[in-house]
Amino acid sequence: YATVWIEEVPTAHIDYTKYTCSIATGEVFVEAICKNANGMKICAEASFEGVPMGNAEATVIGERAFFALKLNEVHLWDIGQGNLYDLKLSLGQDEVKSYFGMREVSYSNGGELKLNGKTRFWRFILDQGFNPDGIYTYPDAEYLEADILRGIAMGFDGARLHQRVFEPLTLYYCDKHGYAVWG
C-alpha cells in the first residue's frame, strides 16, 4: 500500500532522477531521464539551509542527461546529522524539487561497513512497516516522524525496511534525522 496521486506534467518533463555523491571531490552526479526533451537543457541548483551551493546544466540526449554539480561546501550526512541539500531541477516548463545527502557507504577488505570512510558498528531495528493506527500507512507526517524519533531515542542508528516500498516521505524523514535506511 502506498499513497497514489495524479500530477499534470508538461509534454517535456523530468521523469526520474538518480544522485551519486563523491565526498572526495565535493560533487553530486545527476542522472536524469527526461521525456520528450531531446536537445533541451536541464538545469540544477543546489542549496544548503537556504544558501546557494552550486549549479550545473546539461543537454538531454535522447531521454538521458548526465552531469556533475560541484558544491561550494561539503556538509556530510552522518548518523544523527541529517545534513540535506535541496535541489531544484528545471527543464523547460517542468520544475522538480528534490534533496540529497552527501554520504558514501563502502566495505573494507575485512568486511567492515564504512560510512564516509569511517568504520561503524551499526545498530538497526527491523521495521516491518506495520502501524497499529493505519496498518501499512501512517495517519500523518507527525506520527511518522515521532516513530523515527522513538527509534533514535532507543539508541538505534537506523532501520532495515522490510519487504515493501516505503513512501518518499518516510525516506525524507529518516534522512532529515540522520537515521539510516537499509532496504
Side-chain angles (χ1 to χ4, degrees):
Y1 301 91
T3 303
V4 177
W5 71 92
I6 296 175
E7 178 182 11
E8 184 177 358
V9 295
T11 302
H13 62 275
I14 300 165
D15 192 47
Y16 170 83
T17 58
K18 178 181 176 184
Y19 315 120
T20 306
C21 300
S22 170
I23 60 175
T25 64
E27 294 173 296
V28 60
F29 300 97
V30 179
E31 175 185 357
I33 307 297
C34 305
K35 300 295 182 181
N36 306 307
N38 186 40
M40 293 179 70
K41 291 240 185 270
I42 182 170
C43 303
E45 299 172 25
S47 63
F48 183 80
E49 296 180 347
V51 178
M53 286 291 139
N55 57 62
E57 66 178 38
T59 301
V60 178
I61 299 171
E63 289 191 339
R64 296 181 182 272
F66 298 94
F67 56 94
L69 191 156
K70 180 75 171 161
L71 298 168
N72 298 337
E73 299 172 7
V74 175
H75 301 275
L76 294 180
W77 182 98
D78 206 338
I79 299 297
Q81 291 183 312
N83 293 327
L84 298 176
Y85 290 81
D86 292 308
L87 185 66
K88 182 173 84 172
L89 299 163
S90 51
L91 173 78
Q93 294 180 320
D94 194 22
E95 183 175 288
V96 173
K97 292 182 180 175
S98 188
Y99 73 92
F100 64 92
M102 289 296 289
R103 60 186 168 209
E104 289 181 345
V105 178
S106 61
Y107 293 95
S108 70
N109 288 339
E112 297 170 320
L113 185 61
K114 295 184 176 201
L115 176 63
N116 300 331
K118 297 176 188 167
T119 300
R120 292 205 47 115
F121 177 77
W122 298 80
R123 293 175 303 270
F124 275 58
I125 191 168
L126 176 60
D127 185 341
Q128 298 276 5
F130 176 77
N131 182 311
D133 292 331
I135 304 178
Y136 292 109
T137 59
Y138 289 95
D140 55 40
E142 290 78 23
Y143 193 102
L144 164 63
E145 190 168 19
D147 195 35
I148 293 164
L149 292 172
R150 276 191 295 275
I152 292 169
M154 288 188 275
F156 293 103
D157 297 321
R160 179 179 174 277
L161 305 181
H162 191 256
Q163 295 186 0
R164 72 184 206 95
V165 177
F166 279 73
E167 296 182 37
L169 192 60
T170 301
L171 302 178
Y172 169 74
Y173 279 116
C174 287
D175 280 342
K176 174 183 167 188
H177 291 290
Y179 197 61
V181 174
W182 208 266

